[in-house]
Amino acid sequence: MTLSTALAEAEARIAEPSPGALLRRRIFGHGGFLFGAIVVGLVLATALLAPLLAPHDPYAQDLTRRVVNPIWHADGTWRNPLGTDQLGRDYLSRLIYGARISLLIGVATMAISGAIGSALGVAAGYFGGRVDMAITFLITTRLAMPVVLVALAVVALAGGSLKVVILVLGFLLWDRFAVVTRSATMQVRNLDYIDAARAAGCSDLRVLASEILPNILNPLIVVATLEMAHAILLEAALSFLGLGVQPPLPSWGLMISEAKEYMFFSPWLIAVPGAALFLLVLAVNLLGDGVRDIAAPENRN
Amino acid sequence: MLLFAARRLMLAVLVALTVSVICFFLLHLSGDLAQALAGSSSSASDVEAVRKAYGLDRPIIVQYLGWASRVLTGDLGQSYFFKEPVAKLIAERLPVTMVLGVCALVFAVALALPLGVVAALRPNSWIDRTALTISVLGQALPSFWFALMLIIVFGLTLRWLPISGSGTWQHLVLPSIALGYYATPAIMRLTRAGMIEVLASDYIRTARAKGLRAPSVLFKHALRNAVIPVVALAAVQFGFMLGGSIVIETVFALHGIGYLAWESIARADFPIVQAIVLILASVYVVLTFLADILNAFLDPRLRVG
């Protein structure tokens, strides 16, 4: 090796950024991730600080001031910036409190379905054979069931409430978790460090918890965000159909449903909560896509 | 190939059977059917009378076996509300849902396929980025809200299209768009990925080297191969669309089986709900079975396992 190539190599090594700097560069160079993180952060802050941010009580009715126009109409006032709904409740306050419901549904459903799905998926991928066959069959069966219809029927029987909706969605949406963790586990199952852990005398449970799980965390996080978005959309659809979260809770889907009759003269009653829903779901999806690109940039197409 | 088909067929039948068991038990365990039928203001003796009248006092296994054996002979039971055979009610409404599903699929493919091909021809160009943006936005759009916004813009404001009911082809335009857009991102991404892979392959280079004209290479050689997995995906998406039609049919008051299911749930008319769940699941199972067979027929590597 000549001196000049050695020097060039050393220089290249010095110029190479540290892993932390590389990560920061990737995060801030990824527009979708940044947008998603900011919007999700804002919605989260809105949900947590709802009592401070909301100008009025979201449940306080004022039948003398029904369907008041929002601020961008000529007769809108700052008293109700987004106007009022059919019962005279302040629309902005309901929108702000609605963020709590959407986020709660998203996170709680994701936790339940994530626990079920990844337990099944990891078991199928790790043990293989008959276990894998049985679990693959379960996944196939679950995929064949029409989610919206089954969820509607069960909610109708069990009674619509936040808790029931979360449980029903949690027990229905685990399929993608199972599919993804299954294939991710299969990829790492035969790697050397798994054999090493087993040779060192680790039990199956120990191998699963401390060797497999940390190594499939990336795809797991990506599915978790996508499924959270899915759950938020489904809750809104169920509530819209009248078989989800019940009035007077300010679910965004329910707000759209209640505004249907006023569609012709007050379309903003539908446009506003729908736009909020769209923005939140878009942000959660972008966050998930961003995590995938940042964690594994070599897979980026 | 035959062995593969037979194994897949067995799996499909087993899945359909399991779905029927799950649906039946889910409905019976998630609440008291007799109470739901009798109404919330009924007395205890009324509830018991309803329970006897509909055979809900028998052991659940007996109820399931009775129901399942009747389903196999084509008898889906009597509707509690209409007092008519469920099979007849569903047969009347099924065509509407099927036509809606096909129209939605045509819309989705007509939009997604060209976008995917163009995006693949110029990866990372502005066209590719626009197509990607459309697909990302599309996936976040709540279908019922999108449907309502379509109604507000094209029905109420511009007055171009009717907003509810059925009868003419115009009635199907907005529902098809509202139902079909959701499938476009997946179809577009798969088309794009398939085209990029195929365009980089040796036989495309050979075709080009032979001096074939670009459109001939593109459509005759590349698209034909790239579109194979898309056909399978489209079949699966069609199954999802039938499931999703419950929301769209409700918004547009289209009298298909989705709307019937929603009405029946609200009326606690469970024979209809069970039958529709079973039909939608069966359609999905048949479609995935056909997609599997098609894929295996075209790509022998898939026949193993």
mmCIF file with all atom_site columns, all heavy atoms in Angstrom, chain A residues 228-239:
data_model
loop_
_atom_site.group_PDB
_atom_site.id
_atom_site.type_symbol
_atom_site.label_atom_id
_atom_site.label_alt_id
_atom_site.label_comp_id
_atom_site.label_asym_id
_atom_site.label_entity_id
_atom_site.label_seq_id
_atom_site.pdbx_PDB_ins_code
_atom_site.Cartn_x
_atom_site.Cartn_y
_atom_site.Cartn_z
_atom_site.occupancy
_atom_site.B_iso_or_equiv
_atom_site.pdbx_formal_charge
_atom_site.auth_seq_id
_atom_site.auth_comp_id
_atom_site.auth_asym_id
_atom_site.auth_atom_id
_atom_site.pdbx_PDB_model_num
ATOM 1  N N   . MET A 1 228 ? -52.040 1.171  13.827 1.00 0.00 ? 228 MET A N   1
ATOM 2  C CA  . MET A 1 228 ? -52.646 2.242  14.619 1.00 0.00 ? 228 MET A CA  1
ATOM 3  C C   . MET A 1 228 ? -53.508 3.113  13.701 1.00 0.00 ? 228 MET A C   1
ATOM 4  O O   . MET A 1 228 ? -54.663 3.429  14.021 1.00 0.00 ? 228 MET A O   1
ATOM 5  C CB  . MET A 1 228 ? -51.539 3.076  15.271 1.00 0.00 ? 228 MET A CB  1
ATOM 6  C CG  . MET A 1 228 ? -52.048 4.141  16.186 1.00 0.00 ? 228 MET A CG  1
ATOM 7  S SD  . MET A 1 228 ? -50.673 4.924  17.044 1.00 0.00 ? 228 MET A SD  1
ATOM 8  C CE  . MET A 1 228 ? -51.428 6.491  17.394 1.00 0.00 ? 228 MET A CE  1
ATOM 9  N N   . ALA A 1 229 ? -52.954 3.452  12.535 1.00 0.00 ? 229 ALA A N   1
ATOM 10 C CA  . ALA A 1 229 ? -53.713 4.243  11.563 1.00 0.00 ? 229 ALA A CA  1
ATOM 11 C C   . ALA A 1 229 ? -54.972 3.487  11.136 1.00 0.00 ? 229 ALA A C   1
ATOM 12 O O   . ALA A 1 229 ? -56.060 4.060  11.042 1.00 0.00 ? 229 ALA A O   1
ATOM 13 C CB  . ALA A 1 229 ? -52.840 4.548  10.348 1.00 0.00 ? 229 ALA A CB  1
ATOM 14 N N   . HIS A 1 230 ? -54.811 2.189  10.903 1.00 0.00 ? 230 HIS A N   1
ATOM 15 C CA  . HIS A 1 230 ? -55.931 1.343  10.493 1.00 0.00 ? 230 HIS A CA  1
ATOM 16 C C   . HIS A 1 230 ? -57.043 1.363  11.551 1.00 0.00 ? 230 HIS A C   1
ATOM 17 O O   . HIS A 1 230 ? -58.228 1.516  11.244 1.00 0.00 ? 230 HIS A O   1
ATOM 18 C CB  . HIS A 1 230 ? -55.384 -0.085 10.296 1.00 0.00 ? 230 HIS A CB  1
ATOM 19 C CG  . HIS A 1 230 ? -56.323 -0.996 9.575  1.00 0.00 ? 230 HIS A CG  1
ATOM 20 N ND1 . HIS A 1 230 ? -56.052 -2.319 9.385  1.00 0.00 ? 230 HIS A ND1 1
ATOM 21 C CD2 . HIS A 1 230 ? -57.521 -0.780 9.016  1.00 0.00 ? 230 HIS A CD2 1
ATOM 22 C CE1 . HIS A 1 230 ? -57.050 -2.871 8.731  1.00 0.00 ? 230 HIS A CE1 1
ATOM 23 N NE2 . HIS A 1 230 ? -57.952 -1.963 8.495  1.00 0.00 ? 230 HIS A NE2 1
ATOM 24 N N   . ALA A 1 231 ? -56.633 1.226  12.820 1.00 0.00 ? 231 ALA A N   1
ATOM 25 C CA  . ALA A 1 231 ? -57.612 1.203  13.912 1.00 0.00 ? 231 ALA A CA  1
ATOM 26 C C   . ALA A 1 231 ? -58.348 2.537  14.013 1.00 0.00 ? 231 ALA A C   1
ATOM 27 O O   . ALA A 1 231 ? -59.565 2.571  14.229 1.00 0.00 ? 231 ALA A O   1
ATOM 28 C CB  . ALA A 1 231 ? -56.909 0.874  15.229 1.00 0.00 ? 231 ALA A CB  1
ATOM 29 N N   . ILE A 1 232 ? -57.622 3.638  13.843 1.00 0.00 ? 232 ILE A N   1
ATOM 30 C CA  . ILE A 1 232 ? -58.252 4.959  13.926 1.00 0.00 ? 232 ILE A CA  1
ATOM 31 C C   . ILE A 1 232 ? -59.303 5.101  12.829 1.00 0.00 ? 232 ILE A C   1
ATOM 32 O O   . ILE A 1 232 ? -60.428 5.567  13.071 1.00 0.00 ? 232 ILE A O   1
ATOM 33 C CB  . ILE A 1 232 ? -57.179 6.068  13.810 1.00 0.00 ? 232 ILE A CB  1
ATOM 34 C CG1 . ILE A 1 232 ? -56.275 6.052  15.051 1.00 0.00 ? 232 ILE A CG1 1
ATOM 35 C CG2 . ILE A 1 232 ? -57.824 7.431  13.632 1.00 0.00 ? 232 ILE A CG2 1
ATOM 36 C CD1 . ILE A 1 232 ? -55.073 6.953  14.952 1.00 0.00 ? 232 ILE A CD1 1
ATOM 37 N N   . LEU A 1 233 ? -58.945 4.646  11.610 1.00 0.00 ? 233 LEU A N   1
ATOM 38 C CA  . LEU A 1 233 ? -59.899 4.716  10.488 1.00 0.00 ? 233 LEU A CA  1
ATOM 39 C C   . LEU A 1 233 ? -61.131 3.847  10.752 1.00 0.00 ? 233 LEU A C   1
ATOM 40 O O   . LEU A 1 233 ? -62.260 4.270  10.495 1.00 0.00 ? 233 LEU A O   1
ATOM 41 C CB  . LEU A 1 233 ? -59.226 4.236  9.201  1.00 0.00 ? 233 LEU A CB  1
ATOM 42 C CG  . LEU A 1 233 ? -58.397 5.250  8.431  1.00 0.00 ? 233 LEU A CG  1
ATOM 43 C CD1 . LEU A 1 233 ? -57.836 4.614  7.172  1.00 0.00 ? 233 LEU A CD1 1
ATOM 44 C CD2 . LEU A 1 233 ? -59.230 6.467  8.062  1.00 0.00 ? 233 LEU A CD2 1
ATOM 45 N N   . LEU A 1 234 ? -60.895 2.643  11.287 1.00 0.00 ? 234 LEU A N   1
ATOM 46 C CA  . LEU A 1 234 ? -62.017 1.732  11.516 1.00 0.00 ? 234 LEU A CA  1
ATOM 47 C C   . LEU A 1 234 ? -62.947 2.242  12.602 1.00 0.00 ? 234 LEU A C   1
ATOM 48 O O   . LEU A 1 234 ? -64.173 2.141  12.481 1.00 0.00 ? 234 LEU A O   1
ATOM 49 C CB  . LEU A 1 234 ? -61.503 0.341  11.884 1.00 0.00 ? 234 LEU A CB  1
ATOM 50 C CG  . LEU A 1 234 ? -61.349 -0.623 10.723 1.00 0.00 ? 234 LEU A CG  1
ATOM 51 C CD1 . LEU A 1 234 ? -60.779 -1.930 11.195 1.00 0.00 ? 234 LEU A CD1 1
ATOM 52 C CD2 . LEU A 1 234 ? -62.698 -0.851 10.055 1.00 0.00 ? 234 LEU A CD2 1
ATOM 53 N N   . GLU A 1 235 ? -62.373 2.783  13.668 1.00 0.00 ? 235 GLU A N   1
ATOM 54 C CA  . GLU A 1 235 ? -63.224 3.333  14.731 1.00 0.00 ? 235 GLU A CA  1
ATOM 55 C C   . GLU A 1 235 ? -64.120 4.422  14.156 1.00 0.00 ? 235 GLU A C   1
ATOM 56 O O   . GLU A 1 235 ? -65.318 4.466  14.436 1.00 0.00 ? 235 GLU A O   1
ATOM 57 C CB  . GLU A 1 235 ? -62.369 3.903  15.872 1.00 0.00 ? 235 GLU A CB  1
ATOM 58 C CG  . GLU A 1 235 ? -63.157 4.540  17.006 1.00 0.00 ? 235 GLU A CG  1
ATOM 59 C CD  . GLU A 1 235 ? -63.525 5.996  16.762 1.00 0.00 ? 235 GLU A CD  1
ATOM 60 O OE1 . GLU A 1 235 ? -62.714 6.746  16.193 1.00 0.00 ? 235 GLU A OE1 1
ATOM 61 O OE2 . GLU A 1 235 ? -64.635 6.390  17.142 1.00 0.00 ? 235 GLU A OE2 1
ATOM 62 N N   . ALA A 1 236 ? -63.525 5.286  13.347 1.00 0.00 ? 236 ALA A N   1
ATOM 63 C CA  . ALA A 1 236 ? -64.305 6.371  12.755 1.00 0.00 ? 236 ALA A CA  1
ATOM 64 C C   . ALA A 1 236 ? -65.429 5.809  11.894 1.00 0.00 ? 236 ALA A C   1
ATOM 65 O O   . ALA A 1 236 ? -66.566 6.289  11.947 1.00 0.00 ? 236 ALA A O   1
ATOM 66 C CB  . ALA A 1 236 ? -63.399 7.277  11.933 1.00 0.00 ? 236 ALA A CB  1
ATOM 67 N N   . ALA A 1 237 ? -65.115 4.748  11.122 1.00 0.00 ? 237 ALA A N   1
ATOM 68 C CA  . ALA A 1 237 ? -66.135 4.158  10.255 1.00 0.00 ? 237 ALA A CA  1
ATOM 69 C C   . ALA A 1 237 ? -67.247 3.530  11.089 1.00 0.00 ? 237 ALA A C   1
ATOM 70 O O   . ALA A 1 237 ? -68.429 3.711  10.798 1.00 0.00 ? 237 ALA A O   1
ATOM 71 C CB  . ALA A 1 237 ? -65.505 3.111  9.335  1.00 0.00 ? 237 ALA A CB  1
ATOM 72 N N   . LEU A 1 238 ? -66.875 2.808  12.158 1.00 0.00 ? 238 LEU A N   1
ATOM 73 C CA  . LEU A 1 238 ? -67.887 2.189  13.026 1.00 0.00 ? 238 LEU A CA  1
ATOM 74 C C   . LEU A 1 238 ? -68.764 3.253  13.673 1.00 0.00 ? 238 LEU A C   1
ATOM 75 O O   . LEU A 1 238 ? -69.989 3.149  13.701 1.00 0.00 ? 238 LEU A O   1
ATOM 76 C CB  . LEU A 1 238 ? -67.228 1.346  14.113 1.00 0.00 ? 238 LEU A CB  1
ATOM 77 C CG  . LEU A 1 238 ? -66.467 0.090  13.695 1.00 0.00 ? 238 LEU A CG  1
ATOM 78 C CD1 . LEU A 1 238 ? -65.980 -0.667 14.917 1.00 0.00 ? 238 LEU A CD1 1
ATOM 79 C CD2 . LEU A 1 238 ? -67.338 -0.803 12.851 1.00 0.00 ? 238 LEU A CD2 1
ATOM 80 N N   . SER A 1 239 ? -68.122 4.291  14.210 1.00 0.00 ? 239 SER A N   1
ATOM 81 C CA  . SER A 1 239 ? -68.887 5.352  14.860 1.00 0.00 ? 239 SER A CA  1
ATOM 82 C C   . SER A 1 239 ? -69.776 6.060  13.848 1.00 0.00 ? 239 SER A C   1
ATOM 83 O O   . SER A 1 239 ? -70.903 6.446  14.149 1.00 0.00 ? 239 SER A O   1
ATOM 84 C CB  . SER A 1 239 ? -67.948 6.367  15.518 1.00 0.00 ? 239 SER A CB  1
ATOM 85 O OG  . SER A 1 239 ? -67.149 5.723  16.471 1.00 0.00 ? 239 SER A OG  1
#
